[in-house]
Amino acid sequence: QVQLVESGGGLVQTGGSLSLSCAASGRTFNSFVRGWFRQAPGKEREFVAAINWTGGATYYADSVKGRFTISRDNTRNTVWLHMFSLKPEDTAVYYCALDHPLEGIPTPAVTTARRYTYWGQGTQVTVSS
């Protein structure tokens, strides 16, 4: 089994920065992409960013591109989300996720939540105006 633990959430003022981490444990060696999603109250969970675990290719939602940076630490099995120039609309619970693609089965896009098999418990990010 795989367990994901997010940390680093908190309260920050508009324009501030915050870094989130997601530490994974268990059988993660089959993972291809690890991502970050967020969900605000009353809204659907939305894609934020993702990273290819081996190649390092990154993907970003248009709403955060240029402000957020996703990175990985393979030795620690940890993915980071560095957030800059935060806005009140960034306020949400942020979740990290890990996929587990299977050969011969079509894999949803990295921006699609259903691609991911494992999810963390989430960490709250609140940006005050």
Side-chain angles (χ1 to χ4, degrees):
Q1 61 180 17
V2 174
Q3 292 184 333
L4 305 176
V5 180
E6 303 101 331
S7 63
L11 175 64
V12 64
Q13 293 184 335
T14 297
S17 302
L18 201 63
S19 292
L20 308 180
S21 66
C22 175
S25 62
R27 300 178 182 273
T28 64
F29 52 85
N30 288 321
S31 177
F32 180 57
V33 175
R34 302 188 186 187
W36 286 94
F37 287 75
R38 66 187 182 186
Q39 187 168 25
K43 297 184 178 181
E44 298 292 328
R45 186 170 299 185
E46 66 174 346
F47 171 77
V48 176
I51 187 168
N52 182 293
W53 198 245
T54 57
T58 56
Y59 314 84
Y60 296 96
D62 290 339
S63 60
V64 305
K65 190 174 183 62
R67 298 189 299 116
F68 290 10
T69 300
I70 187 170
S71 63
R72 73 195 195 284
D73 186 338
N74 299 67
T75 62
R76 295 179 174 83
N77 208 2
T78 299
V79 62
W80 294 82
L81 184 67
H82 305 285
M83 305 182 292
F84 312 93
S85 301
L86 284 163
K87 306 174 181 180
E89 50 263 46
D90 294 318
T91 296
V93 176
Y94 284 69
Y95 300 89
C96 65
L98 184 152
D99 72 344
H100 188 197
L102 301 176
E103 293 186 12
I105 300 178
T107 304
V110 297
T111 58
T112 303
R114 67 177 184 271
R115 174 194 180 93
Y116 300 90
T117 303
Y118 306 100
W119 295 83
Q121 65 181 14
T123 184
Q124 177 70 48
V125 172
T126 302
V127 184
S128 62
S129 60

